[in-house]
Amino acid sequence: MKRSSLPRVKLSAVLGVLAVSLGLLCNWGRGPEAAPKPNILLILADDVGYGDLSCYGARRVKTPHLDAIAAQGRRFTDGHAPSATCTPTRYALLTGEYAWRKRGTGILPGDAALILDPGRVTLPSLLRGAGYTTGVVGKWHLGLGEETGKQDWNAEVRPGPREVGFDYSYIIPATGDRTPCVYMENGRVVGLDPADPLRVGYRMKVGNEPTGREHPELLKLKPSHGHDQTIVNGISRIGTMSGGRSARWVDEEMADRLTAQAVAFLERNRDRPFFLYFASHDIHVPRAPHPRYAGKSGMGPRGDALLQLDGSVGALTAALDRLKLTRNTLLIVSSDNGPVVDDGYQDAAEEKLGGHRPTGPLRGGKYSNFEGGTRVPFLVRWPGRVRPGVSDALVCQIDLFASLAALAGRRLPPEAAPDSFNLLHALLGQAKEGREHLIEHAGQLSVRKGHWKYIPPGDGPRVQSGTGVELGNAPQGQLYDLSRDLGERENLHDRHPALVAELRALRETCVAAGRTAPAP
């Protein structure tokens, strides 16, 4: 593979990495008294925006457990998801490769085949090779099985999380608004009655169960757009299903169910290094919070689901404390993309926002080319190792692959993680610099370099139908100076033609190159 000609990481950043790595190696190399490898707990929230947490400025909703992590660790103000939507973000996170490099990595139906190649090195497989026990609990949405629509949900569905590096999995196959509405543990549907086989259909209706379109009178939560097929727990979904009644989830219990499974994983593996990827479903639709949280935020189900997310995080950090694992656990919390308010159900989220701004000072949101699409909360805590404070370093979840590989003392194979930079120095607070450039993936491929952002011309819609999110498409290219204009209101495209040409060329090079990170 050809070596990339893209700009290299700054010398100061390289020296920071060497200093951190040498320090860690020295600590870990002292025989029986050496500190063990740190546990890694990665919490990925769903659709949580830059302005949704009180540690990022929210006033109408309080998130004390997440605020505590921010106070004890490092809060990044320029942290990004790899994409403005969920499936491509999760793909990039686990592979270290921009999802736009591979066809078929858009938002998947619930019966999609696995889009991760079992033969490639993934973040969990690399950490498993470094001696970690690996687990995933929560939302998967990366497909299962070998062929779309051909899964036998009544047997073990393979390939899946195990085949790409996870020793243990307890997942919802896609999202809460898509069938099948069941939990799966290590490839099998939990609680399935063989006498009531489960069938799933996206291309045609399976079975004769009522749908939201046909029987809206049966719904306790009505759709605003789409989401009108098979009814499960009084909520109609995308896709159809029949059977599997004993295995179906209750939405109000989902957060507790997933959190309990994550805590159980911590308990089982307290005496060995572990990597747990906890993919919360909050605050994705349908928002049906537990009665403990319902009505408590004053902002409707979306605000209540934010409280529920904070409660789940609090339960996990409490478990780390109880198991005496806190000081040896690297905890990372972020979100898979920016926020969306009305994403398909009539849950009064828009009406009850009040003065709350889910994107904070940013423009756009989920699906958008503007910063609100990918700039998300990004918190890192490791007591005694992560320097507490606030960082404006440019970092991305795609960089966790190379960074955690360095932390675990593993050299990346030449073909692995082609777009993941080792930013361990920035994550630990040992250096101010992060990435020099980043491709932000939404409808367009925008490019960030320093505080400058370039969005290429696009002829798509200005606003997404249904959600009302500004998508950032315009017939003319856009250039923003985010150091002065974080809300991307003043287009400087025509004032800086040389800079536009430079960023456009950088974008083209990133797209054409097989990798953007330095070759191992």
Side-chain angles (χ1 to χ4, degrees):
M1 183 175 290
K2 299 174 85 173
R3 185 178 297 271
S4 172
S5 60
L6 297 172
R8 296 175 181 273
V9 178
K10 295 178 182 178
L11 178 60
S12 60
V14 175
L15 293 175
V17 173
L18 291 174
V20 172
S21 300
L22 287 171
L24 290 171
L25 288 172
C26 288
N27 284 333
W28 290 343
R30 293 178 180 170
E33 297 182 8
K37 292 178 181 177
N39 305 308
I40 302 166
L41 173 54
L42 170 59
I43 300 175
L44 190 69
D46 202 325
D47 290 357
V48 174
Y50 188 87
D52 271 329
L53 310 183
S54 43
C55 54
Y56 279 87
R59 293 291 176 265
R60 286 206 65 200
V61 65
K62 298 297 182 183
T63 50
H65 298 295
L66 287 156
D67 295 356
I69 294 171
Q72 298 159 6
R74 203 148 191 84
R75 179 171 68 86
F76 288 86
T77 62
D78 204 359
H80 289 257
S83 176
T85 52
C86 54
T87 295
T89 280
R90 293 160 200 273
Y91 175 89
L93 171 67
L94 295 182
T95 64
E97 177 183 54
Y98 284 129
W100 45 263
R101 294 198 186 281
K102 180 177 178 178
R103 292 177 62 86
T105 56
I107 301 174
L108 297 178
D111 65 347
L114 180 68
I115 60 172
L116 297 174
D117 180 3
R120 76 178 298 164
V121 178
T122 63
L123 176 58
S125 71
L126 181 134
L127 291 174
R128 185 165 64 182
Y132 282 78
T133 299
T134 58
V136 55
V137 173
K139 175 179 170 180
W140 181 242
H141 210 187
L142 290 163
L144 294 166
E146 294 182 342
E147 188 176 352
T148 295
K150 300 296 185 180
Q151 298 90 345
D152 180 358
W153 299 99
N154 305 287
E156 183 177 357
V157 182
R158 301 177 60 183
R162 180 186 291 116
E163 286 71 34
V164 297
F166 287 107
D167 296 307
Y168 176 78
S169 63
Y170 193 100
I171 62 173
I172 65 172
T175 61
D177 59 345
R178 287 172 171 81
T179 61
C181 300
V182 296
Y183 301 104
M184 299 187 71
E185 185 173 30
N186 294 330
R188 292 184 177 273
V189 174
V190 177
L192 184 64
D193 180 357
D196 183 27
L198 173 64
R199 296 174 60 208
V200 176
Y202 275 76
R203 286 143 201 83
M204 61 182 66
K205 182 179 179 181
V206 297
N208 58 3
E209 298 200 22
T211 68
R213 184 183 309 164
E214 298 162 343
H215 294 281
E217 75 280 2
L218 300 178
L219 298 174
K220 65 182 182 184
L221 179 60
K222 296 184 184 298
S224 58
H225 49 92
H227 301 84
D228 60 358
Q229 295 181 282
T230 297
I231 299 171
V232 175
N233 187 36
I235 302 171
S236 50
R237 318 286 168 153
I238 299 171
T240 63
M241 61 183 285
S242 67
R245 291 166 185 80
S246 63
R248 298 183 182 189
W249 66 52
V250 176
D251 300 76
E252 291 84 353
E253 299 172 358
M254 182 180 290
D256 283 356
R257 183 81 168 259
L258 296 178
T259 302
Q261 293 298 326
V263 169
F265 179 89
L266 301 180
E267 293 170 340
R268 290 195 302 271
N269 296 285
R270 62 186 298 179
D271 296 324
R272 69 189 98 180
F274 61 75
F275 166 60
L276 175 60
Y277 167 41
F278 178 69
S280 169
H281 190 260
D282 289 323
I283 54 176
H284 195 283
V285 295
R287 302 163 186 137
H290 191 277
R292 292 197 311 277
Y293 299 102
K296 298 299 173 59
S297 71
M299 292 169 55
R302 186 178 187 276
D304 299 342
L306 275 169
L307 302 183
Q308 184 167 262
L309 167 67
D310 189 67
S312 293
V313 171
L316 289 171
T317 55
L320 292 176
D321 290 343
R322 173 173 54 84
L323 298 170
K324 296 181 171 49
L325 297 173
T326 299
R327 294 196 62 81
N328 195 44
T329 299
L330 173 63
L331 171 60
I332 303 165
V333 185
S334 195
S335 177
D336 64 345
N337 46 247
V340 61
V341 182
D342 178 356
D343 204 20
Y345 292 95
Q346 299 178 39
D347 62 1
E350 190 78 48
E351 297 88 333
K352 295 188 176 183
L353 271 181
H356 180 71
R357 290 180 53 85
T359 57
L362 308 178
R363 190 176 180 183
K366 183 178 181 178
Y367 313 110
S368 177
N369 297 299
F370 291 125
E371 285 292 282
T374 65
R375 193 185 293 213
V376 291
F378 201 120
L379 308 173
V380 181
R381 187 192 77 175
W382 184 11
R385 296 297 183 95
V386 168
R387 184 175 296 168
V390 179
S391 173
D392 63 0
L394 177 60
V395 297
C396 182
Q397 295 160 16
I398 201 171
D399 299 315
L400 294 178
F401 197 127
S403 303
L404 296 179
L407 184 67
R410 299 288 288 186
R411 183 178 177 85
L412 290 177
E415 73 283 0
D419 298 299
S420 182
F421 285 82
N422 181 357
L423 298 186
L424 188 60
H425 59 295
L427 297 177
L428 297 181
Q430 302 296 328
K432 295 181 179 180
E433 296 89 357
R435 279 176 161 262
E436 286 192 348
H437 58 82
L438 173 69
I439 300 296
E440 296 183 13
H441 175 212
Q444 302 290 331
L445 297 181
S446 305
V447 62
R448 280 283 310 277
K449 185 176 182 183
H451 56 83
W452 291 101
K453 177 172 178 179
Y454 170 69
I455 305 175
D459 59 2
R462 300 294 184 90
V463 176
Q464 187 184 52
S465 176
T467 69
V469 173
E470 278 192 285
L471 296 177
N473 295 317
Q476 180 193 28
Q478 300 170 71
L479 178 70
Y480 297 104
D481 179 357
L482 299 178
S483 66
R484 297 188 307 106
D485 180 23
L486 194 55
E488 297 172 278
R489 296 294 176 182
E490 186 180 9
N491 185 2
L492 304 176
H493 182 276
D494 293 342
R495 299 189 203 174
H496 300 281
L499 181 56
V500 167
E502 176 189 345
L503 295 178
R504 187 167 57 232
L506 174 59
R507 175 185 176 277
E508 291 171 356
T509 302
C510 289
V511 171
R515 61 184 308 117
T516 55

